Amino acid sequence: MTERMTMAGAINAGLRAAMERDPKVLLMGEDIGALGGVFRVTDGLHKDFGDSRVMDSPLAESGIVGTAIGMAMRDYRSVIEIQFDGFIFPAYDQITTQLAKMHYRSRGAITLPIVIRVPFAGGIGAVEHHSESPEALFAHTAGLRLVSPATPQDAYDLIQQAIACPDPVMFFEPKARYWDKGEVDIARVKAQLDQPDGEALATAEMAKARIAREGADVTLVAYGPTVRLALQAAEVAREEGTDVEVIDLRSISPLDSDTVVNSAKRTGRVVVVHEAPTAFGSGAELSARVTEQAFFHLHAPVLRVGGFHTPYPGAKFEHDYLPSLDRVLDAVDRVMAH
Amino acid sequence: MDAVGPLSSEGLVQLLTHTGEPVENETFSPYAAHLSADDLRAFWRDMTVLRAFDLEATSLQRQGELGLWVQSLGQEGAQIGSGHALREPDFVFPSYREHGVALTRDVDLVDVLKIFRGLQHGAWNPKDHGFHLYTLVIGSHALHATGYAMALDRDGLVASGDPDRDGAAVCYFGDGATSQGDVSEALTFASVYNAPVVFFVQNNQFAISEPATRQSKVPLADRGKGFGIPTVRVDGNDVIACHAVTQWAVRHARSGGGPVFIEAFTYRMGAHTTSDDPSRYRSKAQESYWAERDPISRLEAYLTNRGELSAEFRAEVEAEAKALCERARTAVRSWEREPLLTMFDDVYALPHATVEAERAWFERYEASFADGETAAEGKAH
């Protein structure tokens, strides 16, 4: 049972399915009601579920997260939309000092099943603060889970798995991929959630990486917006005689180290590609894990391709700031040269 | 005290003068009319026991048994009076000085010391007491209270037609917190969603060392007005007035009237915590002024004047306080840390690979020492 849809449409369909499934699921955010969100991801949901389920909130990001925490204490599952990546910082305190730690502080008495949707990353020619990749800041915080879909199928599955998860989940939506189309099997995740331990199954599966393309020479690790780029690079490299394996992490926290390390052991060469600044980023974590766990299998140092240690530049520069096909292929060439 | 702005005592609701004389208040006296002599004696008992406990905890900190203690000294009236206005369906969101409110919610005060001994961040189950965990990031819980109140409304527990079922969220914070963005955002959300939440500000005059004038140019209660929230200033050292005003506020909220903002004008007689030195930032004259307005001696004078505080009752309360302090002392000194690996528990509700891997590594690491010791002992033998 598949339907062809865009990633934005898949998230919308996933939200609708979750809301139909559980009356305690609410959407909160700025402009998500009548407007359907600035990217129209919540399009039509306000009309069908009304003000009480699709809540246009005051323009206050910390307030949105903080009130969702209070509501979760009465078993509501809020799916929050932060309008753009760069606007998450007013809520940073609520997310890191409150949301992430409440389960630990209460020794399990309080669970906060809140999903924070963050349209993130660049490539759409936006103005300042509208193209950032802050995932490493949150991956560094214990208590949060982070996922990022790269395909409409994953967008549909992951949003429902995130909502079913009893832990807070940050859902990073690659905004440049909202309009990518793909086939979506709409039955699989429902079958999973219908199991008696559906929450646990969904949470476990949400944490698994996907081998998007098998290959023998180099492992390219990517997530969210850079998965498509990595697949393109693999195609070009193939023409040049290099067989590239592409791993779509799907989950940034936890990291599916096993899938990456096993691949590294097979290929002996790893390149990590993300849009976020390279320094202290998730690529550094992946590089460290591969080095610790597969050192004697490596033929080359693990390389990272990412953004620079600059603020995200003006849109006329982003083409050069972001990992490009050429920069990814250059890194592939460099690890192959060892 | 002829201060202006947030340090002004003008317009305070008072039902008992600082010498213990009753005062009539057209609006709020009816909300204290139900209080019997037994109720007032119970207020006095709670305030007295709380103070004794507070001093005991301070001593334990000085003896090195606690890493830190946050005194509630001087704020007993605001806390016990308001706390006793709440019922089971209500839910309290405290900051970190609300030991008196905790007492009214049947939290064992001895357990609170686990936080300050560094054993836990929580120490009670919020759901069992309608009393959330202490919040140390100033003002952040004002939003949690507001969200909780919005959920109460959604759950049909406001203006339900059965007042016994209705509830409110009650959020306690201090004068410093009113400067925090989260408190302003909470007031916005509470107002526009008409949430049944009572913001109870204890203006104890200082945020660590900074006087309330560094937080505001106007009485703190005025903060509510700009958000369209009814506000009341109450004499925070008058336990009866605090009770009455809170009683009014929670009934207003529970019955669908929306949020209320209360400023309880009080004084922190101790330090901010056991780490600071108030002699650096306030005068002896000021401390003496407030000592004359002590919430406990005020009610004591009132009850004594009416012949309602017998020597027998006093002795009973004294014994109760002593027993609590002894129990605290013994407990604190006997508490063992829980097994080391519990440090990794409850980071997530469901397994998380990073935590699991680190727990497993640490377990092996710890075990390697145990093996080493065994091996060494084996050799020695």
Side-chain angles (χ1 to χ4, degrees), chain B residues 31-198:
Chain B
Y31 291 92
H34 63 286
L35 293 172
S36 66
D38 270 348
D39 291 331
L40 295 181
R41 271 192 292 272
F43 287 1
W44 183 82
R45 180 190 62 219
D46 279 1
M47 290 195 292
T48 305
V49 168
L50 172 65
R51 181 165 295 184
F53 175 81
D54 192 68
L55 294 170
E56 180 64 36
T58 305
S59 300
L60 287 168
Q61 193 280 333
R62 296 289 182 240
Q63 292 160 24
E65 300 289 351
L66 303 177
L68 184 80
W69 179 243
V70 184
Q71 289 182 286
S72 54
L73 192 74
Q75 296 177 224
E76 295 89 348
Q79 297 193 12
I80 299 297
S82 61
H84 276 302
L86 313 181
R87 303 176 319 190
E88 196 269 324
D90 301 323
F91 207 99
V92 174
F93 290 79
S95 42
Y96 44 72
R97 198 187 296 284
E98 276 67 68
H99 320 312
V101 190
L103 179 68
T104 68
R105 303 301 282 176
D106 292 328
V107 173
D108 185 349
L109 290 180
V110 176
D111 282 343
V112 176
L113 301 178
K114 288 180 181 163
I115 300 168
F116 296 95
R117 195 168 165 81
L119 294 168
Q120 288 192 28
H121 295 321
W124 59 89
N125 185 333
K127 292 176 181 171
D128 292 345
H129 299 277
F131 188 78
H132 191 49
L133 302 179
Y134 281 1
T135 301
L136 276 75
V137 181
I138 304 293
S140 56
H141 60 302
L143 285 164
H144 309 162
T146 303
Y148 190 92
M150 289 161 64
L152 277 171
D153 189 21
R154 238 158 229 282
D155 286 339
L157 296 173
V158 177
S160 68
D162 175 2
D164 289 342
R165 289 183 70 229
D166 296 340
V170 184
C171 183
Y172 288 82
F173 49 84
D175 36 294
T178 62
S179 298
Q180 288 281 354
D182 274 1
V183 171
S184 287
E185 294 191 18
L187 294 170
T188 297
F189 275 73
S191 172
V192 301
Y193 289 116
N194 204 46
V197 53
V198 174

Side-chain angles (χ1 to χ4, degrees), chain A residues 26 52 55-56 60 62-63 67 70-71 73-74 76 94 98 103-105 107 109 143-145 167 203 253-254, chain B residues 120 122 127 132 134 140 143-144 147-148 154-155 157 182 185 189 193 338 343 345-346 348-352:
Chain A
L26 309 174
S52 67
M55 299 166 66
D56 267 334
S62 187
T67 51
M71 295 181 85
M73 289 177 62
R74 291 196 65 84
Y76 287 94
Q94 282 289 343
Q98 305 299 310
H103 191 265
Y104 191 71
R105 299 175 68 231
R107 294 155 68 97
L144 302 173
R145 294 176 190 268
D167 292 315
T203 304
S253 178
Chain B
Q120 288 192 28
K127 292 176 181 171
H132 191 49
Y134 281 1
S140 56
L143 285 164
H144 309 162
Y148 190 92
R154 238 158 229 282
D155 286 339
L157 296 173
D182 274 1
E185 294 191 18
F189 275 73
Y193 289 116
E338 289 185 34
M343 185 168 72
D345 290 350
D346 297 316
Y348 294 88
L350 289 173
H352 184 283

Side-chain angles (χ1 to χ4, degrees), chain A residues 269-293:
Chain A
R269 295 178 176 88
V270 179
V271 175
V272 187
V273 188
H274 58 55
E275 289 197 11
T278 311
F280 301 93
S282 43
E285 176 66 24
L286 277 160
S287 171
R289 290 195 189 200
V290 169
T291 308
E292 285 172 5
Q293 295 173 46

Side-chain angles (χ1 to χ4, degrees), chain B residues 219-278:
Chain B
L220 299 179
D222 288 1
R223 290 287 162 114
K225 291 180 187 168
F227 295 87
I229 297 175
T231 64
V232 186
R233 296 193 90 199
V234 59
D235 182 338
N237 285 13
D238 176 351
V239 68
I240 301 177
C242 287
H243 182 78
V245 165
T246 311
Q247 188 74 253
W248 169 79
V250 287
R251 287 187 198 174
H252 175 91
R254 291 176 196 139
S255 61
V260 175
F261 190 101
I262 297 171
E263 178 192 356
F265 194 76
T266 182
Y267 192 72
R268 183 238 292 156
M269 294 168 95
H272 166 66
T273 70
T274 44
S275 292
D276 79 326
D277 172 11

